Amino acid sequence: MKALFSKVKLGKLRNFLSLLLIMGCYVIYQRFLVVAYYDIGLFIVVTVVAVLYDKLIASKGFDAIVNNACICWTVVVGLSLVLRSYYLPEKIYKVPLDGFSTFRVDHIYFSFKGRAFKRPFSLSDYDLSDICKQYDVELYLKEPLPAVYYISGMSLCKKENTTK
């Protein structure tokens, strides 16, 4: 039993779980818009406490506990929000396109409910010379929790003429 949980195996498991945590956080970041700052603060506090706790007890052999807790928290929160979003009705929001980037991967910049966001979006079919004045971002969102929105779709749509 002792050989099963040797330091080498725990180290490999810890690295694998850390990689899963980073990938899970990235997927959640790309698929959700969180417009409340307290959620980001809570995630930072949980991460700092987990890292400090991990450093304090690493010499006692329980170093994988914190990583397991973080992985489970990320997976449970992410999966529950995705599953809850699956059954919710979709709402369409139009927001102005604030900017774009074509460096390595195409990105668009927009603001939603007072918060700025950057998301990958293919700009190959658009004329980039005056794109911010011609297009708005159309967001197809589901709200599983207050101030948390699941992105079920995103597109650019022509601005409507409001001049008379």
Side-chain angles (χ1 to χ4, degrees):
M1 184 74 168
K2 195 169 196 171
L4 181 65
F5 296 107
S6 69
K7 284 278 191 189
V8 174
K9 288 183 179 178
L10 281 177
K12 288 180 181 178
L13 177 66
R14 184 176 176 188
N15 291 339
F16 178 72
L17 292 176
S18 297
L19 181 66
L20 280 178
L21 177 65
I22 291 168
M23 288 181 353
C25 290
Y26 181 74
V27 168
I28 290 172
Y29 169 76
Q30 289 297 318
R31 297 305 305 168
F32 288 92
L33 298 177
V34 180
V35 294
Y37 288 104
Y38 65 86
D39 293 333
I40 295 170
L42 177 65
F43 180 74
I44 291 171
V45 167
V46 167
T47 304
V48 168
V49 168
V51 168
L52 291 176
Y53 182 71
D54 190 35
K55 295 296 181 192
L56 287 174
I57 65 168
S59 61
K60 297 179 183 173
F62 298 105
D63 55 348
I65 293 173
V66 173
N67 288 329
N68 288 334
C70 289
I71 291 285
C72 292
W73 184 75
T74 302
V75 169
V76 167
V77 169
L79 282 178
S80 65
L81 288 176
V82 169
L83 291 175
R84 183 178 162 108
S85 298
Y86 182 75
Y87 296 104
L88 293 174
E90 191 173 76
K91 295 180 184 174
I92 300 172
Y93 297 90
K94 282 189 180 181
V95 295
L97 178 65
D98 295 335
F100 67 95
S101 170
T102 56
F103 182 70
R104 292 188 184 166
V105 177
D106 293 347
H107 287 89
I108 57 172
Y109 300 94
F110 59 91
S111 295
F112 180 71
K113 296 202 175 188
R115 189 115 183 263
F117 293 97
K118 168 187 166 184
R119 291 293 184 263
F121 188 81
S122 176
L123 297 171
S124 61
D125 298 335
Y126 299 97
D127 178 26
L128 302 179
S129 61
D130 210 11
I131 193 170
C132 292
K133 292 182 182 177
Q134 295 177 6
Y135 292 97
D136 283 331
V137 179
E138 198 168 62
L139 300 169
Y140 303 93
L141 303 177
K142 298 179 179 185
E143 189 175 7
L145 291 175
V148 177
Y149 296 89
Y150 175 74
I151 304 170
S152 59
M154 192 168 38
S155 65
L156 293 181
C157 62
K158 287 267 190 192
K159 284 187 178 184
E160 298 173 5
N161 286 338
T162 56
T163 58
K164 295 182 180 181

